Amino acid sequence: MDIMLLKLSKKAQLNQRLQPISLPETETNITNIETCSVAGWGLTSVGEPDELQMVNVPIVDLDVCKNEWPNMLPENVICAGGYGTDKGFCQGDSGGPLVCNGKAAGVVSYNWGKNCRYPNRPNVYTDVSKYLPWIRKIMKDC
């Protein structure tokens, strides 16, 4: 799954365009009644964007997602968008954020056959909350 931590050589200068985002405090179970946002610089239907793109995506119930991705869905994922909607991510968005309730909930991972026209399979994100112990350990050691 797609997840990494990056240590900056110096403190980032926060401004209107650069702000931190909180991690979930505990392992979360995002429900299918929530709508979250995904952002990225990836491809769009008209080509490569010249500005950051963002779209709201509905969460897809994990049981539905497992049914749509039979024998292909790893553990520790969130499914959102790309299923019953024309909203989701595309190539070039990998590693981008899935934000739910103002927290970093997921990391863009993959969709069906690199198809950005949102077929009837949910988009798959790495669930950040499932990696909290690893994240805390790495941050403590820095």
Side-chain angles (χ1 to χ4, degrees), residues 32 59-70 73 79 83-84 120-122:
N32 59 337
I59 296 298
V60 176
D61 181 88
L62 199 53
D63 289 332
V64 171
C65 193
K66 287 178 180 177
N67 191 48
E68 296 300 320
W69 286 95
L73 196 65
C79 296
Y83 180 78
N120 289 328
R121 298 237 175 143

Side-chain angles (χ1 to χ4, degrees), residues 34-104:
E34 292 186 61
T35 297
C36 301
S37 300
V38 60
W41 294 89
L43 297 175
T44 67
S45 60
V46 294
E48 294 183 28
D50 57 0
E51 62 185 49
L52 182 65
Q53 302 293 304
M54 188 206 70
V55 66
N56 291 331
V57 290
I59 296 298
V60 176
D61 181 88
L62 199 53
D63 289 332
V64 171
C65 193
K66 287 178 180 177
N67 191 48
E68 296 300 320
W69 286 95
N71 303 318
M72 299 171 75
L73 196 65
E75 296 297 318
N76 301 335
V77 298
I78 298 170
C79 296
Y83 180 78
T85 180
D86 62 353
K87 308 271 190 275
F89 59 75
C90 197
Q91 277 53 58
D93 290 330
S94 291
L98 176 69
V99 178
C100 302
N101 300 317
K103 306 235 184 231

Side-chain angles (χ1 to χ4, degrees), residues 2 39-45 47-49 53 69 88-96 108-119 123-124:
D2 299 322
W41 294 89
L43 297 175
T44 67
S45 60
E48 294 183 28
Q53 302 293 304
W69 286 95
F89 59 75
C90 197
Q91 277 53 58
D93 290 330
S94 291
V108 170
S109 191
Y110 61 92
N111 58 13
W112 180 248
K114 299 182 180 181
N115 183 347
C116 300
R117 299 202 190 280
Y118 312 106
N123 291 169
V124 180

